[in-house]
Amino acid sequence: MFEGVFPRVSPNGKLIAHIDKKSIILRKISSYEIQAVFNVEGNVGWVDWSPDSENIVFSIEKSMHRNEVHIINISSKKITKILTTGILKDLNWIKNKVDWNLYRWKVSSPK
């Protein structure tokens, strides 16, 4: 039985990421074996994969009007906060970098 919410399959079809309370769990699709667990401070709102399956972007809900956006590099297991904002309007991957629109600002993450 699948546990967790908002499962996302990696673009290469090898891993699945899902939210379980205050963690992001990565599992191999072939065996359902846990590949990695990333514990975070706060409730995870959503997860998404980069097109190359090397990174996961996710949000942490800090308060009703304050979210943080983070990136996990799957190889290094490094988690980097890239944005603290109010409400996220749009998110796109452009050449494996995150590009998102806030209500009046356009911000790009460092590579």
Side-chain angles (χ1 to χ4, degrees), residues 55-105:
N55 299 284
I56 293 176
V57 64
F58 66 97
S59 71
I60 297 176
E61 299 167 353
K62 290 295 190 174
S63 67
M64 188 172 176
H65 297 290
R66 190 172 150 259
N67 297 310
E68 293 178 355
V69 178
H70 298 252
I71 289 183
I72 300 171
N73 179 280
I74 302 304
S75 300
S76 69
K77 298 187 177 9
K78 181 180 176 186
I79 300 175
T80 305
K81 180 168 67 172
I82 57 172
L83 180 67
T84 300
T85 183
I87 300 168
L88 191 64
K89 181 180 174 188
D90 191 23
L91 170 74
N92 296 300
W93 286 97
I94 299 174
K95 295 184 181 177
N96 296 311
K97 290 174 60 177
V98 177
D99 185 48
W100 55 88
N101 290 306
L102 301 176
Y103 284 100
R104 286 190 291 266
W105 308 278

Side-chain angles (χ1 to χ4, degrees), residues 21 40 42 53 63 98:
K21 299 180 184 174
V40 298
S53 302
S63 67
V98 177

